[in-house]
Amino acid sequence: MTTVPDKERLPAQVGFAVEIDKLKRVLRRNTLMDGSRRENDAEHSWYLGMLAMVLGEHAPSGTDLDRVTAMLLVHDIVEIDAGDTFIYDLAAVEVQEKAERAAADRIFGLLPEDQTAAMRALWDEFEERSTPEARFAKALDRLAPILANHHNEGGSWTRHGVTADQVMEKVEIIREGSATLGEYATEIVELSVARGHLARSRS
Amino acid sequence: MTTVPDKERLPAQVGFAVEIDKLKRVLRRNTLMDGSRRENDAEHSWYLGMLAMVLGEHAPSGTDLDRVTAMLLVHDIVEIDAGDTFIYDLAAVEVQEKAERAAADRIFGLLPEDQTAAMRALWDEFEERSTPEARFAKALDRLAPILANHHNEGGSWTRHGVTADQVMEKVEIIREGSATLGEYATEIVELSVARGHLARSRS
């Protein structure tokens, strides 16, 4: 028996591909590192995929880095319907969760059934942070804006009045994914405070 | 012996991460599917990573899809220095190759030595198309703008006077990576011609 690629699955797959192009138009709160404009979810997801490749050695040994990458590429797709939520806006975060689950149903549901299930499982795993892969992926997702703000004189921290205490809660999530990256993020945050780019506490 | 993550490698890795943020500012000739603005290399690379996940089953059996994804995430980084070249501008393509090799030396060279070599090997493999992984990755890179132009009434084909004969040369590259996707791309091109969104030949 020869394997026949299932051409009949292509219309659904391409329908999904056309739909997710919209992720390039979902804007995040932070800017590019040079501060020139706000970042969008698609380029952010690429960036995280690259961080997984470059910083993967700092994940706990045995972490499946290919699954980390896959999770990171998929993790924001639900924001096509649900929009981006600023992680320091706690009330919005709760409402957001429901909207994101509905978005996952609709968007992943465009794919053939087996792929719908696979994408949904990846996204659920990321959200639940129940595996080393998900915890490392989430760590990179939290590290990226810290890197960007650190290299952009405070960036969205300054604009939105975020304090070091609040950032350190996110650093805790980084530490849960990678001890080394957690330590590194702590140093960056301290440096940003010392340089006057991040307020220690609400004034 | 416990494994100690090498924290000393972090400054070079973060230096690379800061540098590649610039890929978000390298613009391509084609637009987003809705035509609202030109696409940048970073979001394009994310998109190709997603295509590898979603269309991976159409690669020749045995293709290592994780390496395809890695190649796609990395493939355009050299354009930070070398810029984007329109694939229908053949004179520019030759000059471009030299500039891209110099860019690969500089940018991948920011990483620790072993990672420099690994990234460079991935990029060389993609450029040389000597493996099924590289041929499939290149097929997706060629398929994406065809999908976008098809869904955007001709898009960059119309604006730059590209003809179906020229697009069919790119389809040949798709076919070399995946028979199914090559066949599918041929159908899309024919449909675009039939709808008047792509000229059959130069008028």
Side-chain angles (χ1 to χ4, degrees):
Chain A
M1 203 179 93
T2 23
T3 309
V4 182
D6 197 346
K7 211 183 151 203
E8 284 170 23
R9 288 160 60 91
L10 264 171
Q13 291 165 336
V14 169
F16 176 80
V18 169
E19 182 64 24
I20 64 170
D21 199 75
K22 295 176 183 166
L23 196 63
K24 300 168 186 168
R25 290 188 281 134
V26 179
L27 296 184
R28 293 165 46 81
R29 295 294 181 102
N30 62 287
T31 64
L32 306 192
M33 286 214 187
D34 71 348
S36 59
R37 62 165 172 81
R38 282 168 68 186
E39 189 184 30
N40 71 62
D41 271 348
E43 61 197 1
H44 163 70
S45 300
W46 165 75
Y47 196 75
L48 296 184
M50 284 304 305
L51 287 190
M53 283 178 72
V54 169
L55 302 177
E57 68 193 51
H58 306 295
S61 97
T63 304
D64 177 350
L65 291 171
D66 293 323
R67 204 160 87 242
V68 171
T69 302
M71 248 182 258
L72 288 169
L73 295 184
V74 166
H75 84 291
D76 268 346
I77 287 177
V78 295
E79 295 191 356
I80 288 172
D81 286 354
D84 179 56
T85 307
F86 197 43
I87 53 170
Y88 296 102
D89 182 349
L90 296 180
V93 167
E94 274 187 41
V95 177
Q96 185 75 355
E97 283 174 6
K98 202 179 159 189
E100 290 192 349
R101 279 192 299 274
D105 289 345
R106 183 187 78 78
I107 303 170
F108 299 143
L110 297 171
L111 286 164
E113 211 168 314
D114 57 315
Q115 290 187 300
T116 297
M119 288 275 175
R120 180 58 180 253
L122 268 179
W123 183 70
D124 285 342
E125 182 180 345
F126 177 80
E127 288 296 310
E128 289 161 12
R129 287 196 292 139
S130 49
T131 60
E133 284 76 14
R135 284 190 291 272
F136 188 65
K138 192 69 102 171
L140 297 178
D141 191 33
R142 290 293 176 261
L143 179 64
I146 293 178
L147 282 180
N149 286 333
H150 177 65
H151 284 274
N152 186 28
E153 304 188 340
S156 62
W157 291 332
T158 313
R159 277 197 308 284
H160 299 285
V162 173
T163 65
D165 291 349
Q166 290 174 298
V167 179
M168 284 309 294
E169 285 173 29
K170 308 306 165 193
V171 170
E172 199 43 53
I173 291 174
I174 298 175
R175 193 187 311 278
E176 285 169 20
S178 163
T180 311
L181 294 183
E183 204 179 309
Y184 181 74
T186 305
E187 290 170 13
I188 287 185
V189 170
E190 288 304 322
L191 208 54
S192 288
V193 170
R195 288 179 183 167
H197 297 153
L198 177 60
R200 191 163 292 284
S201 56
R202 202 164 291 276
S203 53
Chain B
M1 203 179 90
T2 23
T3 309
V4 182
D6 198 346
K7 211 182 152 204
E8 285 171 22
R9 289 160 60 88
L10 264 171
Q13 291 165 337
V14 169
F16 176 79
V18 169
E19 182 65 24
I20 65 172
D21 200 75
K22 295 176 183 167
L23 196 63
K24 300 168 186 169
R25 291 188 279 134
V26 179
L27 297 183
R28 294 165 46 80
R29 295 295 180 101
N30 62 288
T31 64
L32 305 192
M33 284 212 189
D34 71 348
S36 58
R37 61 165 173 81
R38 282 168 69 186
E39 188 184 32
N40 72 61
D41 270 349
E43 62 197 2
H44 163 70
S45 300
W46 164 77
Y47 196 76
L48 296 185
M50 285 303 306
L51 287 189
M53 284 178 72
V54 168
L55 302 177
E57 70 193 51
H58 306 295
S61 98
T63 303
D64 177 349
L65 291 172
D66 293 322
R67 204 161 86 243
V68 170
T69 302
M71 248 182 258
L72 288 169
L73 295 184
V74 165
H75 84 291
D76 268 346
I77 287 178
V78 294
E79 295 190 355
I80 288 172
D81 286 355
D84 179 56
T85 307
F86 196 45
I87 52 170
Y88 296 102
D89 182 349
L90 296 179
V93 166
E94 274 187 41
V95 177
Q96 184 76 353
E97 283 175 7
K98 201 178 161 190
E100 291 193 349
R101 279 193 299 274
D105 289 343
R106 184 187 77 77
I107 302 170
F108 300 143
L110 296 172
L111 286 164
E113 212 168 312
D114 57 317
Q115 290 186 300
T116 297
M119 289 275 176
R120 181 58 181 254
L122 268 178
W123 182 70
D124 284 342
E125 183 180 345
F126 177 81
E127 289 295 310
E128 290 161 10
R129 286 196 293 138
S130 48
T131 61
E133 284 76 15
R135 283 190 292 272
F136 188 66
K138 191 68 102 173
L140 297 177
D141 191 33
R142 290 294 176 262
L143 178 63
I146 292 177
L147 282 180
N149 287 332
H150 177 64
H151 285 272
N152 186 28
E153 304 188 339
S156 62
W157 290 333
T158 313
R159 277 197 309 284
H160 299 285
V162 174
T163 65
D165 291 347
Q166 290 175 298
V167 179
M168 285 308 294
E169 286 173 29
K170 308 307 166 191
V171 170
E172 199 43 52
I173 291 174
I174 298 175
R175 191 187 312 278
E176 285 169 21
S178 162
T180 312
L181 295 183
E183 204 180 309
Y184 181 74
T186 304
E187 290 170 15
I188 286 184
V189 169
E190 287 303 321
L191 209 53
S192 288
V193 170
R195 287 179 182 167
H197 298 154
L198 177 60
R200 190 163 294 281
S201 55
R202 204 165 290 277
S203 54

